[in-house]
Amino acid sequence: MSSHHIVREKQEPALLIANGEACQPDLLGQLLEWSPTVVVLDSAIWRVLELGIKVDVLLGDFDRSLDLDAIRAQQYPLEIIHAPDQNKTDLDKGIEFLIERGFPAVNIVWATGRRADHSLTNMTNIVRYKDQIRIVMIDDHSKIFPLVGRFEKWYEAGTPISLIPVGTVSGFTSEGLKYNLQDATLKLGYFTSSSNEAADDGFVRIEAQTGDLLIMECWD
């Protein structure tokens, strides 16, 4: 796979590659086309290097004794960030690194699949950064992002959309879905708006008064 194209830095989302299930090469290639900065987390680096991707930053706690000299020999220039804090996941560290560097947005891949605990933690943790950076988590089956303010987007009729609270969400209201709710309370594990869909060709509108909500556009 060829390296990402050169585009103006921080005008397009950075690409953050975790170490979960790999997405299809075509999807990864599309994201690389418009990613000026590619950050790879810890031991995923070897999988990424095998694909011939140009990497800008390698970040993690390096608890698996990576051969950094061998990695540098394949990637130059390469910024290596040692982030040993065991109270945060490597994905958290990667997002915080991009926030500190002033990036306005990030696309995240390879963050779902494989271990269920990693997938669940990665999906739910992104809500804590929703006011600091625009985050979209993408795999072969869905696009996941936190609700920020009032959401409005045009969809084709029948497009699957799931709305999953992280904890409790109150004052939830939706328009344009097959199953709409007005001033509802959603609670993870008890009441969600999963496997919903756009009712017609047109705009879907979603808002909530309090709490954190994940919007999932699905195509499987």
Side-chain angles (χ1 to χ4, degrees), residues 49-95:
L49 293 180
E50 288 176 359
L51 296 175
I53 296 171
K54 174 66 183 73
V55 178
D56 298 292
V57 179
L58 170 61
L59 181 148
D61 54 23
F62 307 143
D63 57 356
R64 297 187 182 182
S65 301
L66 290 178
D67 187 341
L68 297 180
D69 289 335
I71 293 169
R72 287 192 185 94
Q74 295 188 47
Q75 289 285 324
Y76 183 84
L78 175 65
E79 184 175 4
I80 296 177
I81 305 294
H82 182 216
D85 188 348
Q86 294 299 311
N87 293 318
K88 297 179 181 179
T89 69
D90 281 342
L91 188 67
D92 292 337
K93 298 170 190 175
I95 294 170

Side-chain angles (χ1 to χ4, degrees), residues 2 5 16-18 49 54 58 61-62 72 82 99 125 127 131 135 142 158 164 172 191 193 195 198-199 202-203 220:
S2 62
H5 288 192
L16 182 57
I17 303 178
L49 293 180
K54 174 66 183 73
L58 170 61
D61 54 23
F62 307 143
R72 287 192 185 94
H82 182 216
I99 292 171
N125 276 11
V127 300
D131 296 322
I135 299 175
S142 57
I164 308 299
F172 172 85
F191 183 49
S193 186
S195 297
F203 282 96
D220 186 5

